[in-house]
Each structure stands twice: as C-alpha cells, then as structure tokens.
Amino acid sequence: MPTVAPLDISGHVLATAFLGDIPFFAAASGTIHRLDGGEKVVEAHSGLLTAVRDPWSASLLTGGEDGKVMRIAADGATTLLAEAPRKWIAQVAGGPQGAVAYAHGKTSFVRLADGTTREFPETRTVEGLAFAPKGLRIAAARYNGVSLHWVATPGQPLDLEWKGAHTGVTFSPDNRFVVTTMQENALHGWKLDVKPGTEARHMRMSGYPSKVKSVSWSPKGKWLASSGAPAAIVWPFSGKDGPMGKAPLELGTRANIMVTNVTFHPAEEVLAIGFVDGMVLGVRIADGKEALLRRPGKGAITSMAWSGNGRLLAFASEAGDCGVIDISA
C-alpha cells in the first residue's frame, strides 16, 4: 500500500494541482494551501468558484465570487489578472503565449500576455471554457452547443450545435475532437478533422447513471476517462472516428459506489480513480490491473493531480480530507 501524507483543510476543497513538486489545494472559502516545507496558506478570494492548473505555465488560475481572476505562482505569489465587480467568475482556462480565458454571463474574455482583452459574446450563458492544444483558439460551452473562436482574428465563430445544456468542454490532445459534459447523463463530441466545407461529425456517449463531472485524456489522447458511474468509463479515441461504434472500458468497478473524479498519469496509461466514499484506485489500461492507493475517507473525491514525474498523487475531497500519495513508496 502506498504511503499517504494527510492534510486536513476546513470545508470543501475544489481542486488540487502540482506546481513543480509542490502540491496546491484550493478551498471553496477562497484560501489556497500549499505544502512547501510545511503548510502555507494564501487568501486569494472571498469565495472560490474555480481553480485550474495552467498547462502552459507553472501556475494556478482561479476565479471567485468576488469577480476576480487570479494567477497563483509556485511560490504562492498572487497576481490579479482581471476583475469584474459583482460578477461571479466560475470559468477560467490557461492558454498559450500567456493567454487566460474567463467568462461571466453571456460573454467569454481572453486576456493576452500584454494585458489587452478580447471579448466574445455568446447567445447563452457560458458554462465551460477550454483552449485548443494548437493555435490560439478557445471553445465556449453553452446551451445547445459549443462556439469555437480564433482569438487573434475575431469574427464569426464555428458553432458546434447539439440540443441540450453543455456544462464543460475539452479538446483532445491531438486537436481532432471536442467533447462536452452535459446537464443530462451524457458526453457529446464532435470530430473536427473533416473535409473543408463539411460539418463536424457528432459523437454521442450516453448510458451514464448520473452526471459526468470529471473527464481526463490519456497522455497521447488515445483514451478519454470519465466519472458518472460506479466505474470509470473510458472511451477509445485512437481510431479516426473516435468512440463511434465502440464500447467503452469500465475500470475500477465497485457495486453501487460512484466514481467522482478521474485523472490520467502524465506519462503512462494508468488512471487514478476517486470515489464518492473517498477511496482512490490506480488502474492500468492495458490489463485492468488495480492498485488500492487510498482507503475510503471523509467526503467524495473532488480533484486529483499527478506530480510531473508521476510518483506523487495529490487528492482533495468535499470534506477537506486531502493528502498526497507516494506511489513509489
């Protein structure tokens, strides 16, 4: 059994991430906790709504009930990137060249490294944001679909339409697919690499017993893991048409105990699976071999993050029952 270094934080913890070798934990209260030679705490917001690791820099991006968008550096230093008084910032995303996207109401914003900001109006409230892995392009999830905007050349967006409420969005690492989480118990996807002039192809991934709140791509994008069932549902994306016509893998099955968070290892096809009872499993895709990483604890697992070298796994829970697992121990 791997060793676990526990960390008890008061209240709901939304997210965890590694910046370098330092694990960070973002609490709903607005405090950011980091384990750097002991626990150190920064007051970032009066009420935190979202916290994500910027994939393009060693920093954390946060949005709050105070209308602020913040960048948290590995040393705990905070930088105010944007402020929208009396607005709630529940969506943020990090992009290339120092760009940061955020949204409130029916508008997405992209703040560039030089401080200039571009606005992208939508027909409905923005529920999710993501940058494409190639090119300065953002996806905004909303009711009835997703809008894709080129940041440098604002104009008519590419609209990917599908009826229903889309609550989150992600690009595949190879830029070939866009996938959304939905208000209903389903994922929806579009295949982007189609012939010019033809419409992006749809992919419907349904059959979940509850809402999908967590998704994670394998390092090379061959698999997309998801929560929302009593097992991690892992869809194959290696073929030219993604999961169309293929059944998903079901990993870490546990009777009626729901998976609440999934996070792929940074280099290997190994999936960390967090459950509603606080348990964490590691599962290898190739053969489904399981390893118990953490016994059940307090609160559902809300977030997990691997260190860059893949030896440490940080986890957070809705009850503040957090910690770091050393899988090399």
Side-chain angles (χ1 to χ4, degrees):
M1 178 92 181
T3 60
V4 179
L7 175 65
D8 193 23
I9 296 172
S10 178
H12 185 113
V13 178
L14 290 176
T16 182
F18 275 91
L19 302 182
D21 296 326
I22 302 169
F24 280 64
F25 300 86
S29 63
T31 57
I32 310 293
H33 304 248
R34 75 186 203 279
L35 295 179
D36 183 10
E39 183 184 357
K40 294 174 177 146
V41 182
V42 173
E43 299 279 346
H45 295 271
S46 54
L48 184 78
L49 294 170
T50 184
V52 299
R53 193 194 187 285
D54 183 356
W56 303 86
S57 74
S59 67
L60 201 63
L61 298 169
T62 60
E65 295 174 13
D66 51 12
K68 293 178 180 176
V69 180
M70 307 288 289
R71 188 189 291 279
I72 320 288
D75 64 359
T78 60
T79 305
L80 178 65
L81 299 179
E83 191 168 11
R86 298 182 300 282
K87 303 291 186 184
W88 282 25
I89 309 293
Q91 315 297 335
V92 295
Q97 303 161 41
V100 174
Y102 61 97
H104 53 76
K106 297 179 181 177
T107 307
S108 306
F109 303 84
V110 175
R111 181 192 186 275
L112 302 174
D114 64 4
T116 59
T117 301
R118 303 255 166 90
E119 293 187 23
F120 301 92
E122 303 290 347
T123 55
R124 306 295 285 267
T125 301
V126 179
E127 301 287 355
L129 285 172
F131 276 95
K134 299 171 187 170
L136 198 52
R137 194 182 202 190
I138 62 160
R142 49 170 168 74
Y143 196 78
N144 286 345
V146 175
S147 307
L148 300 184
H149 302 272
W150 288 105
V151 176
T153 54
Q156 198 62 26
L158 174 61
D159 285 331
L160 304 176
E161 297 293 335
W162 185 262
K163 288 203 180 311
H166 300 261
T167 56
V169 62
T170 178
F171 283 89
S172 63
D174 60 10
N175 218 30
R176 293 171 53 220
F177 303 98
V178 167
V179 177
T180 60
T181 54
M182 296 193 69
Q183 188 67 28
E184 61 184 275
N185 302 343
L187 299 177
H188 195 80
W190 293 265
K191 184 185 176 196
L192 297 180
D193 59 342
V194 293
K195 291 177 183 173
T198 59
E199 190 177 328
R201 293 186 65 187
H202 292 280
M203 296 168 287
R204 183 152 172 75
M205 292 157 272
S206 57
Y208 292 87
S210 69
K211 282 192 200 58
V212 180
K213 294 186 177 177
S214 173
V215 296
S216 179
W217 292 98
S218 63
K220 294 180 181 170
K222 284 174 60 179
W223 303 95
L224 178 66
S226 56
S227 67
I233 307 301
V234 186
W235 297 93
F237 273 80
S238 53
K240 67 181 178 66
D241 290 330
M244 284 190 278
K246 297 174 185 170
L249 303 176
E250 296 188 21
L251 302 179
T253 303
R254 291 180 66 207
N256 296 316
I257 299 171
M258 299 295 282
V259 172
T260 54
N261 193 261
V262 289
T263 307
F264 263 109
H265 188 278
E268 300 172 31
E269 289 188 345
V270 170
L271 183 67
I273 306 172
F275 293 85
V276 71
D277 65 353
M279 192 169 113
V280 178
L281 274 182
V283 183
R284 195 162 56 199
I285 296 287
D287 56 8
K289 184 172 171 36
E290 297 179 3
L292 178 62
L293 301 183
R294 185 203 184 219
R295 292 186 174 90
K298 287 184 297 181
I301 298 296
T302 52
S303 178
M304 295 183 292
W306 294 93
S307 60
N309 60 18
R311 293 178 187 167
L312 302 176
L313 177 71
F315 62 90
S317 92
E318 66 181 14
D321 188 14
C322 306
V324 180
I325 302 165
D326 186 345
I327 65 166
S328 64

